[in-house]
Amino acid sequence: MSFSDAELEVVKVAAGREEMAPAAWSARQVMAVAQHTLIPVPADTGDVLRELIRSRAHTSRKP
C-alpha cells in the first residue's frame, strides 16, 4: 500500500489520535473495510455534508 504525501499526513494524524503506529492504523482500517465493518466514502463527502448543513441552516432561518 502506498500513500501520497497528503494521504500519509492524514494517516499519521489519524493514527496519532488513537496512539497507534501509522502502519497499524492503516492495517486496521483495511481489515475493517474487507470485513464490511467500515464502509469507505469518497474524500469529498465531508465537503458535501458541510454544504448541506450550511444550506439547511440558511433555509431554516426566519426573516
Side-chain angles (χ1 to χ4, degrees):
M1 182 177 340
S2 64
F3 299 106
S4 69
D5 291 341
E7 292 168 333
L8 182 57
E9 188 59 33
V10 170
V11 169
K12 286 179 179 179
V13 169
R17 281 190 213 140
E18 298 186 37
E19 298 181 3
M20 296 179 73
W25 185 88
S26 297
R28 188 179 71 181
Q29 302 310 309
V30 168
M31 289 304 298
V33 170
Q35 295 170 347
H36 303 288
T37 58
L38 175 67
I39 307 301
V41 294
D44 66 346
T45 299
D47 294 336
V48 171
L49 290 174
R50 280 187 286 282
E51 183 60 32
L52 286 172
I53 291 167
R54 276 194 297 270
S55 297
R56 181 176 178 211
H58 180 71
T59 58
S60 63
R61 289 185 188 150
K62 295 183 180 180

